[in-house]
Amino acid sequence: MSAQKIINFTPCPCQASQNGNYLAFWVKPDVLVNKFIDEPDGICNIFRCRAGHVIPLARKDIGTWMADIDDHFRESHPPLTSAQAVTEANRCYFCYDAPCTEACPTDIDVPGFIRGIASGNMAGAAIKILQENIFGGSCARVCPTEILCEHACVWTKAGGPAVQIGALQRVATDWQMAQPTHPFIRAPATGKHIAIIGAGPAGLSAAHGMARRGHDVTVYDTKPKPGGLNEYGIAAYKLVDDFAAREIEFLLGIGGITLEHNKTLGDDLSLDDLARNFDAVFLALGQAAVNMAGVTGEHLPSVRNAVDFIAELRQAPDKSALKIPRRVLVIGGGNTAIDAATQAKLLGAEDVTILYRKGRAQMSATAIEQNWALTHHVVIHFHAAPVRIESETGELCVVTESRRYPADLVLRAVGQKFHPLDGLEIENGRIKIDQNHATSHPKIFAGGDCVPGLDLTVRAVQDGKCAARAIHEFLGCD
Amino acid sequence: MADLTTYFAGIRSNNPFWLASAPPTDKAYNVERAFRAGWGGVVWKTLGEDPPIVNVSSRYGAVSLGGAAMAGFNNIELITDRPLSVNLREITQIKRDWPDRAMVVSLMVPCNETAWTKILAQVEQTGADGVELNFGCPHGMSERGMGAAVGQVPDYIEMITRWCKSHSRMPVIVKLTPNVTDIVQAARAAKDGGADAVSLINTITSITNVDLDSMSPCPSVDGRGTHGGYCGPAVKPIALRMVGEIAREPALRGLPISGIGGISSWRDAAEFIALGAGNVQVCTAAMHYGFRIIDDMISGLSNWMDGKSYSRIADFQGLAVPNFVHWDDLNLNYKSIARIDQDLCIRCGLCYAACEDTSHQSIATSNGDGARHYNVIEAECVGCNLCAHVCPVAACITMIPVHTGLPALTWKEHPNNPSSPHFTGTTDRA
């Protein structure tokens, strides 16, 4: 610090820095930016706070700063205290035919579970949630409640903020997960065996639903860990403390579910074999492929898929070891674009800009998501459609019709798509199903992001739940 | 600006708000604070004989409702646990320092004339404006033959009141227990004994809750509980009814009534006064929020009176009494129906659930345009008000009088009433 102290220091406006006890409060940006961008590879890494303010750390303080990168990725929405939960629960009007329940893709009896929280009946509250949505814990954290249940809350018409349904759902599901026993009891064994491909929310929701009904279930997944997007795709600050893995451990508490990892349909598994060897098959393949931006230069080495960037970040044991360049451009307008941009900023990138080809209203990221990025000093440029990506001058650059955006890393977040599959009827690029989640193959069912519909965790869970019911009937049970 | 001065049982106070005999009026320190805050008077917490009684820990139970604390409140505290001489000295000092405020002293001694004569003389020396006889405390003291044990026997009320009137120049207010079948008998006994006024209600015998872990009634004293006295907003309806009963009783006309029971706001106070009370006493609200609530009580009552052009408390005192009638004096031909303001409606459906499940199936639900709508089926609505009460939005559901074109008809005159001169049916007796 002594060298910098002679400069005209200004306080770092970054909240994370102010919360820390390290020597990051004093910054003279011009001088220090020059210092660090002079580094050979142009990588600024840990020497910038999340708002892009440069942190003048003495070497002895670097350890403190590295520990603090985890603080950047602390939970975006901390849980309610039990007192807050009761106060909030008491705001619920206990509506008849409640609009929030109607808005919930998994039909959770929202007033019912909230009443349990208000009365101190946590077990009753939790079961009401989990019987409709076994991923109630992660949905409480990742659901865009502002466009679903909380958007429908009558309080928004009564002049107040909506009841914090997501936060209350978390209180009840967290309570349940802290209990030593699983809340559901398996029905007697049926002797039926079902294969599920994909251990994401759709696949495991179906697995739990079928295991509950007494069937044996084997779940195959191409990845080394279960969880799908909950494990690999959701922003780190939405599911902290390894929640995705802990929730699956809880879910597996029902028994009767076997997980098989690193098994890929087409390579290690074939639909025909599965259909032959199991009583039924449920495909919950997700969307393994990504859309291309469709411009030249997309294959340059510093152009990456945002989902890969997020997956790498989610799986990194030490986020401070991840290198992030100074200037990051994100192409896209969905939640993946928001998550990638914000996390790039939190890792220490100095300038992060989202380029979206349409206007604010068309952005599929909700207003709350947009604001989340903006308050983390991510810049969003609307009506900015890339026409090409170039590096002719040695500097990577995304070019739109009106201007050039120099960058050190470009993240592509223009949507994912279903990886083509032979042998089943396809509709709008995804597996065609009927109202019972049945595909064109008599023993194969499908749900989640690999079938047409909203790409939301909660909708995938609903698909799994409904498919389990349909397969149960298909097997001639009940 | 309205004049809030009252002369209750001959005792002047600059506003009708007194603090009831209770913990807030147990010591000079509290009463000083109350008077500084603006309270018109106090009834000093009940004095008894030395040696003082002993209190327990803990002392209060409460009922909270939907997150609102102390909708109902109960206590198992007894009368003052401080030596009589200390109380008398402090009362003297406070009355000397605050001559314009009402100082009434609550008393409770054993049921013999000597005991009452002795303590009355001691209180008289303090300069206090009057005494209130505590015939209401439902716990602890009643088992010793005092408090509610006296208040539940009209003959005792009359006897002790007469002793007090004959041994003291001070106005005597008799505080009545609600734990009786007929409050009018108790009030009549007080009047017959020469009481200058009655005050009511004292607390209602109660257990607020049971601790389901320790299985102790609450408040719990070392794992056991006892019944206590219930008060607070939840008891206001019971108190209003009893005040109204006394106010409309012809034999008790002119007997001043100090209204007590769940009064938390100027509006509550105005309601008690409209039903005949000459002033009011407050306790739970002050214990809940502190003495500063008096500001809004005074200004709210004053502003309301100005708006109604009432210049003095007496101008509206008792105006609701003639309208407090027996059920068979109500007009059976009056009809009102509910109306739901669709612009204010937030579509919570509570009115529908209440009416459909528990009333007259008079609300229709529709979801035609994607939004819920709730509408009153006017032909089915009996005007019961339930929907309006459950609605969380103020003024969204209102009760609209319907012109029936029929003359007023009471049960006394109704043809279905066997006792009516217009009875059209047949009875077994006939």
Side-chain angles (χ1 to χ4, degrees):
Chain A
M1 285 296 285
S2 58
Q4 283 83 26
K5 266 186 178 170
I6 57 170
I7 308 166
N8 183 20
F9 289 124
T10 54
C12 174
C14 168
Q15 195 190 358
S17 307
Q18 287 165 2
N19 287 341
N21 56 4
Y22 45 85
L23 303 173
F25 284 50
W26 308 101
V27 177
K28 176 70 168 136
D30 296 344
V31 175
L32 293 165
V33 165
N34 286 336
K35 175 177 166 51
F36 288 109
I37 62 174
D38 285 341
E39 285 191 1
D41 59 358
I43 299 294
C44 55
N45 206 345
I46 61 170
F47 298 104
R48 296 170 194 282
C49 75
R50 68 172 174 189
H53 302 110
V54 177
I55 310 300
L57 287 172
R59 185 154 295 281
K60 66 181 171 55
D61 297 316
I62 287 179
T64 315
W65 168 243
M66 288 173 70
D68 227 80
I69 193 100
D70 288 333
D71 189 46
H72 282 190
F73 286 90
R74 67 184 182 273
E75 189 150 48
S76 54
H77 297 92
L80 298 177
T81 64
S82 50
Q84 287 169 333
V86 172
T87 301
E88 191 64 14
N90 276 318
R91 291 183 63 229
C92 175
Y93 283 138
F94 199 63
C95 293
Y96 175 81
D97 189 17
C100 49
T101 293
E102 190 179 53
C104 175
T106 54
D107 305 325
I108 291 172
D109 176 3
V110 175
F113 91 72
I114 291 180
R115 198 166 181 81
I117 294 174
S119 77
N121 176 14
M122 280 296 182
I127 205 82
K128 268 195 190 304
I129 297 162
L130 296 168
Q131 71 192 7
E132 297 296 345
N133 181 339
I134 194 64
F135 280 93
S138 51
C139 285
R141 290 161 168 83
V142 307
C143 253
T145 52
E146 66 273 18
I147 58 170
L148 297 172
C149 53
E150 292 179 20
H151 178 70
C153 177
V154 300
W155 260 108
T156 61
K157 296 187 187 70
V163 173
Q164 297 175 57
I165 298 167
L168 288 171
Q169 178 165 314
R170 175 173 174 175
V171 169
T173 50
D174 279 1
W175 179 91
Q176 182 60 63
M177 283 179 60
Q179 305 308 305
T181 53
H182 191 78
F184 298 100
I185 296 168
R186 275 193 88 187
T190 61
K192 305 285 187 187
H193 197 172
I194 291 116
I196 293 176
I197 319 299
L204 289 178
S205 166
H208 188 270
M210 290 190 276
R212 261 176 77 187
R213 292 174 169 86
H215 309 306
D216 286 325
V217 183
T218 300
V219 186
Y220 299 97
D221 197 283
T222 182
K223 292 269 184 20
K225 287 190 198 173
L229 288 178
N230 276 5
E231 178 60 42
Y232 293 96
I234 302 280
Y237 41 74
K238 290 182 184 168
L239 290 174
V240 300
D241 299 332
D242 217 12
F243 182 80
R246 289 194 288 119
E247 185 174 47
I248 289 169
E249 191 183 334
F250 159 76
L251 179 152
L252 295 176
I254 187 69
I257 302 172
T258 308
L259 296 181
E260 296 266 356
H261 297 300
N262 303 309
K263 293 281 195 304
T264 305
L265 189 64
D267 297 343
D268 311 296
L269 307 162
S270 82
L271 275 185
D272 287 343
D273 288 348
L274 289 167
R276 194 177 314 118
N277 296 334
F278 290 88
D279 295 297
V281 179
F282 179 62
L283 300 179
L285 304 167
Q287 303 194 67
V290 298
N291 292 328
M292 300 300 280
V295 295
T296 57
E298 268 191 276
H299 301 291
L300 289 166
S302 290
V303 180
R304 298 186 65 193
N305 290 325
V307 289
D308 296 336
F309 167 75
I310 294 170
E312 183 189 0
L313 188 146
R314 283 291 306 273
Q315 298 305 311
D318 175 9
K319 293 188 185 67
S320 68
L322 291 173
K323 293 203 169 186
I324 186 78
R326 198 164 63 85
R327 297 167 303 183
V328 177
L329 276 178
V330 181
I331 300 171
N335 287 341
T336 303
I338 297 287
D339 287 356
T342 307
Q343 291 183 108
K345 197 75 186 172
L346 296 179
L347 280 176
E350 185 180 341
D351 293 317
V352 179
T353 302
I354 294 176
L355 301 182
Y356 178 53
R357 63 195 166 97
K358 294 183 184 171
R360 181 188 295 276
Q362 287 81 41
M363 213 169 183
S364 68
T366 65
I368 284 182
E369 290 288 330
Q370 293 179 36
N371 288 339
W372 177 251
L374 293 172
T375 54
H376 286 81
H377 300 260
V378 168
V379 175
I380 305 178
H381 283 202
F382 296 103
H383 302 290
V387 294
R388 66 177 179 279
I389 304 172
E390 61 183 36
S391 64
E392 282 144 21
T393 60
E395 182 180 59
L396 187 67
C397 195
V398 175
V399 182
T400 66
E401 278 187 0
S402 58
R403 66 177 273 194
R404 298 165 59 82
Y405 294 87
D408 303 308
L409 171 67
V410 175
L411 296 174
R412 180 173 41 222
V414 292
Q416 291 108 263
K417 61 183 179 185
F418 175 59
H419 198 282
L421 183 72
D422 290 334
L424 294 176
E425 252 182 72
I426 299 293
E427 179 181 44
N428 295 328
R430 307 197 200 184
I431 301 172
K432 184 182 179 184
I433 55 167
D434 67 10
Q435 71 275 16
N436 291 323
H437 290 268
T439 68
S440 54
H441 187 292
K443 282 176 81 175
I444 301 178
F445 297 74
D449 287 352
C450 69
V451 304
L454 284 174
D455 298 337
L456 290 175
T457 305
V458 64
R459 176 261 167 160
V461 176
Q462 175 74 352
D463 275 8
K465 177 179 84 181
C466 294
R469 201 180 292 147
I471 293 169
H472 185 69
E473 283 175 22
F474 163 75
L475 295 174
C477 305
D478 274 2
Chain B
M1 174 114 173
D3 178 8
L4 299 187
T5 308
T6 56
Y7 296 86
F8 183 81
I11 302 165
R12 182 188 182 283
S13 59
N14 53 356
N15 63 57
F17 301 104
W18 292 5
L19 284 165
S21 167
T25 61
D26 189 31
K27 297 191 301 292
Y29 182 83
N30 304 71
V31 174
E32 283 267 7
R33 285 178 64 86
F35 283 166
R36 271 202 300 277
W39 290 84
V42 297
V43 181
W44 198 276
K45 186 169 164 79
T46 307
L47 309 185
E49 289 185 325
D50 280 337
I53 59 85
V54 178
N55 271 309
V56 293
S57 171
S58 62
R59 303 178 190 178
Y60 303 127
V63 173
S64 65
L65 191 62
M70 284 184 35
F73 186 54
N74 127 320
N75 82 89
I76 56 170
E77 186 170 292
L78 304 183
I79 62 176
T80 184
D81 51 15
R82 306 189 314 152
L84 181 59
S85 60
V86 172
N87 279 306
L88 292 170
R89 189 170 66 240
E90 290 185 1
I91 291 166
T92 309
Q93 171 231 318
I94 293 281
K95 185 61 202 176
R96 187 183 63 225
D97 293 348
W98 298 86
D100 66 329
R101 309 300 171 93
M103 169 62 76
V104 174
V105 179
S106 175
L107 299 175
M108 185 197 292
V109 292
C111 214
N112 68 71
E113 192 167 0
T114 315
W116 285 96
T117 306
K118 184 179 170 196
I119 199 163
L120 281 165
Q122 290 170 306
V123 171
E124 208 158 276
Q125 286 172 1
T126 65
D129 298 302
V131 292
E132 184 182 79
L133 312 186
N134 181 342
F135 295 162
C137 184
H139 52 268
M141 306 311 289
S142 49
E143 291 91 327
R144 305 173 201 184
M146 294 180 269
V150 173
Q152 287 164 336
V153 183
D155 288 348
Y156 293 168
I157 295 174
E158 182 183 343
M159 175 178 73
I160 298 177
T161 305
R162 182 164 288 123
W163 292 341
C164 292
K165 282 310 292 178
S166 58
H167 294 295
S168 171
R169 60 159 178 79
M170 294 181 289
V172 172
I173 304 166
V174 175
K175 187 167 182 178
L176 302 177
T177 174
N179 302 306
V180 294
T181 306
D182 183 2
I183 196 70
V184 173
Q185 281 192 45
R188 192 179 288 137
K191 190 182 187 213
D192 291 347
D196 297 280
V198 291
S199 56
L200 71 158
I201 59 173
N202 206 309
T203 55
I204 302 169
T205 310
S206 61
I207 295 172
T208 49
N209 55 305
V210 173
D211 184 319
L212 292 177
D213 294 317
S214 66
M215 287 296 167
S216 169
C218 294
S220 177
V221 180
D222 196 18
R224 293 166 145 192
T226 187
H227 71 260
Y230 197 48
C231 54
V235 312
K236 185 190 121 185
I238 296 166
L240 271 179
R241 196 276 296 184
M242 291 189 166
V243 166
E245 289 272 4
I246 293 171
R248 75 177 176 185
E249 171 64 32
L252 297 174
R253 190 143 295 158
L255 179 67
I257 305 167
S258 185
I260 312 171
I263 294 164
S264 308
S265 69
W266 64 267
R267 191 178 292 276
D268 295 333
E271 291 173 20
F272 272 86
I273 293 167
L275 259 186
N279 77 351
V280 295
Q281 297 184 31
V282 176
C283 176
T284 305
M287 293 182 77
H288 192 167
Y289 299 110
F291 292 141
R292 65 204 159 107
I293 59 169
I294 188 63
D295 282 351
D296 187 65
M297 290 180 136
I298 290 173
S299 74
L301 184 62
S302 175
N303 291 333
W304 172 78
M305 287 172 64
D306 289 347
K308 294 282 186 186
S309 299
Y310 298 131
S311 55
R312 299 184 318 277
I313 295 289
D315 289 351
F316 73 97
Q317 182 186 353
L319 291 188
V321 174
N323 297 326
F324 175 37
V325 297
H326 294 282
W327 192 94
D328 54 11
D329 288 320
L330 298 174
N331 177 11
L332 296 168
N333 278 342
Y334 174 79
K335 176 144 174 80
S336 67
I337 56 171
R339 179 180 295 166
I340 301 172
D341 184 326
Q342 296 297 329
D343 292 332
L344 291 175
C345 176
I346 60 170
R347 326 287 184 215
C348 69
L350 289 178
C351 57
Y352 175 81
C355 190
E356 193 71 8
D357 284 354
T358 68
S359 289
H360 297 85
Q361 297 76 46
S362 311
I363 295 178
T365 171
S366 62
N367 201 349
D369 55 357
R372 292 165 168 70
H373 292 285
Y374 297 98
N375 284 293
V376 175
I377 305 167
E378 296 190 354
E380 298 295 327
C381 179
V382 302
C384 75
N385 276 19
L386 178 63
C387 56
H389 289 309
V390 302
C391 179
V393 180
C396 176
I397 302 183
T398 44
M399 303 307 297
I400 309 297
V402 177
H403 182 65
T404 61
L406 299 170
L409 177 69
T410 68
W411 178 244
K412 285 174 179 163
E413 306 144 353
H414 199 280
N416 286 15
N417 178 4
S419 306
S420 159
H422 309 294
F423 181 58
T424 54
T426 56
T427 64
D428 292 343
R429 222 180 316 161

